[in-house]
Amino acid sequence: MDFPRIDPVAIAIGPLQIHWYGLMYLVGFVGGWLLLRYRADRPGSGWNRDQVSDLVFYVALGVILGGRVGYVLFYNFGKFLDDPLWLFEIWTGGMSFHGGALGVLLAFWLLARKFGKRYFSVADYAVPVVPIGLGAGRLGNFINGELWGHPANVPWAMIFPGDPMGVPRHPSQLYEFLLEGVVLFLVLWFYSARPRPAGAVTGLFGLGYGLARTFVEFFREPDAHIGYLTGGWLTMGMLLSIPMIVLGAAMMFWAYRYDDRPAPARK
């Protein structure tokens, strides 16, 4: 298939340029904000619209700051040592989901203290909308023609303009969009529509994302400056995602095993 050559600059007004990748972050934050407001308006939600706005603001800071610092530490620490100011050049690209996740976990803790809520009441409320941002970000990667997959001969393989080899490859960004974005969102949204034990929704997110990311890593070309860590198959993305699978499964087991909610009354 032909790669749809889309100008990465969505809007240009004089020297001001707004890139599609940045707009995808905006889509994720606004989409999550609207859906969380929708749930906040439901009777007995325990949330109001002002709290939702604060939540989205804190999460946005966690994603951007944590994502950038995580990318620098996990994927390109050598370049940071050569040029420390590169850490602040977010417009040049380079964000790490795992770093952003750590930033969001910190944001949940700060919000829980501010609102006087239990930690998992904040996390379980917020994580169902996180895949919207993940999916939008992967579309941004696709538009930029970056983070492509291995060479492939499948009918939907594409030749990406920045590929020095110029060979058809898996559009792994779209695989991630479907699994980390669409599928994970649907699973979490409907699972969280009913009351669950504290930590179960967050655990399912970690388990689901870890499985999706690890699966796609088998089709995705590893970062050129890192390559495979061992065995010609283990990537940094896998190394950071496998603990999420283990921790997510353990959290779900713990949530149901030690569920302290009162048993429903018999009719």
Side-chain angles (χ1 to χ4, degrees):
M1 295 180 61
D2 291 333
F3 176 78
R5 295 174 179 268
I6 303 173
D7 188 340
V9 178
I11 302 172
I13 305 176
L16 175 64
Q17 294 185 340
I18 300 176
H19 291 247
W20 283 108
Y21 190 71
L23 287 179
M24 291 300 102
Y25 274 86
L26 181 62
V27 167
F29 294 137
V30 172
W33 176 66
L34 291 174
L35 287 176
L36 291 178
R37 277 166 55 102
Y38 164 76
R39 283 199 164 172
D41 291 340
R42 296 168 61 182
S45 71
W47 290 80
N48 59 52
R49 292 191 171 192
D50 289 338
Q51 290 175 329
V52 167
S53 296
D54 285 351
L55 174 60
V56 173
F57 175 73
Y58 276 67
V59 166
L61 289 179
V63 168
I64 295 172
L65 298 178
R68 182 59 177 176
V69 172
Y71 177 79
V72 169
L73 294 179
F74 299 149
Y75 292 94
N76 219 330
F77 189 62
K79 185 172 182 178
F80 167 71
L81 292 178
D82 293 336
D83 181 14
L85 292 180
W86 174 69
L87 171 67
F88 304 100
E89 298 177 10
I90 297 178
W91 59 89
T92 63
M95 299 286 283
S96 163
F97 162 79
H98 299 91
L102 293 176
V104 169
L105 292 178
L106 176 60
F108 290 162
W109 178 75
L110 294 173
L111 263 294
R113 287 173 57 87
K114 179 178 180 179
F115 296 153
K117 295 178 178 289
R118 297 174 64 181
Y119 180 85
F120 281 118
S121 69
V122 176
D124 289 346
Y125 181 74
V127 295
V129 303
V130 171
I132 298 175
L134 297 178
R138 294 311 178 191
L139 286 181
N141 294 143
F142 180 74
I143 291 172
N144 285 347
E146 60 190 5
L147 305 183
W148 52 68
H150 295 308
N153 57 5
V154 295
W156 55 87
M158 297 181 181
I159 298 177
F160 292 92
D163 179 12
M165 296 178 60
V167 298
R169 294 179 176 273
H170 285 288
S172 55
Q173 315 95 323
L174 299 183
Y175 301 171
E176 292 184 277
F177 162 74
L178 290 173
L179 292 177
E180 300 171 11
V182 177
V183 173
L184 187 57
F185 168 74
L186 292 175
V187 169
L188 289 170
W189 185 254
F190 288 107
Y191 177 76
S192 63
R194 298 178 59 185
R196 305 292 179 181
V201 178
T202 304
L204 182 59
F205 171 81
L207 175 63
Y209 177 85
L211 289 172
R213 177 64 182 270
T214 301
F215 174 76
V216 175
E217 285 291 313
F218 285 102
F219 300 92
R220 175 174 161 176
E221 192 76 12
D223 294 77
H225 60 284
I226 297 179
Y228 292 106
L229 302 181
T230 185
W233 63 273
L234 181 64
T235 66
M236 179 62 76
M238 290 181 185
L239 186 65
L240 296 173
S241 297
I242 292 174
M244 294 185 66
I245 299 174
V246 176
L247 183 59
M251 287 177 61
M252 294 195 71
F253 173 81
W254 168 80
Y256 280 96
R257 177 66 177 81
Y258 299 102
D259 184 6
D260 59 358
R261 296 177 300 165
R266 294 184 178 180
K267 295 183 179 180

